[in-house]
Amino acid sequence: MAAITTLKDAIQENVKSGDTVAFEGFTHLIPFAAAHEVIRQGITDLTLIRMTPDVIYDQLIGMGRVKKVVFSYAGNPGVGLLRRMRDAVENQWPRALEMEEHSHSAMAQAYEAGASGLPCAVFRGYLGADLKRVNPNIKSVTCPFTGEVLAAVPSLRPDVTVIHAQKANRKGDVLIEGIIGVQKEAALAARRVVVTVEEIVDDFGGLHPNLCILPNWTVTALAQVPGGATPSYAHGYYDRDNSAYLEWDKVSADRDLFTTWMQENVLDATPDAFADRIARLKETAA
């Protein structure tokens, strides 16, 4: 059964320096609050996995917490570059960054292989692509039954997967509504799973039981963090803060401005800041 705890304790007890960590979410439910707590606690030398690294990975990289990223497309969604990631790759600021790039399909297949306890994923892919020239973890295998040449990549088995969801019940079962990415596969592939949610409820009464995407036995720690996905959105709870993504493009373009912003908005902030921001967004919308 999942341990219901605080965000601070969930991260402190389950994410360690040197870990391989996946912060997953697709379009919405991106676990910003949890990643900010990792930054505040000074956890470092991380290998980060994510299908589409966005602003939260830019922040982790810019704060020097990351030694390697395993990813597919990376960018500030709808805006452009991840400037802190680019600075780390091109100028080694604040530290050098290793990269292992894959296609979206390969990442999804590798998570599923990890969730299945398999050493690798085999699939049709990378035909005519040059990515395997710079990624030695992209291999080819020949099907023993048909002779077809297929792509193979190592399975993804994070030490920790961190996700955000709408609801959990008091047993620790987790409910995700709206767009679902690879949260389920990433959680089942991991050794430990930390989940933040908008609210913890007594039960999922009135909802179809198949909506429970993660049963409590798959979850290590669970914390209630209202607004924990902002500036991304949580379907049914709050909208995407588009202005924050536009602002980030300017903030991340300058090292000093980035450092100041992170000090004020992350290092000196608390998880309650997320709930406060959501309240302000709702007031503005009204």
Side-chain angles (χ1 to χ4, degrees), residues 124-129 132 148-150:
R124 291 187 178 93
Y126 294 120
L127 297 176
K132 57 187 177 182
E148 182 180 5
V149 177
L150 301 168

Side-chain angles (χ1 to χ4, degrees), residues 63 93 254-264 267:
M63 293 300 289
W93 192 94
D254 181 86
R255 292 177 183 176
D256 291 338
L257 185 57
F258 161 78
T259 301
T260 300
W261 191 97
M262 292 298 292
Q263 185 69 48
E264 294 176 352
L267 295 177

Side-chain angles (χ1 to χ4, degrees), residues 187-200:
L188 294 176
R191 294 171 177 83
R192 300 181 298 279
V193 177
V194 173
V195 181
T196 57
V197 294
E198 292 296 320
E199 60 177 330
I200 296 175

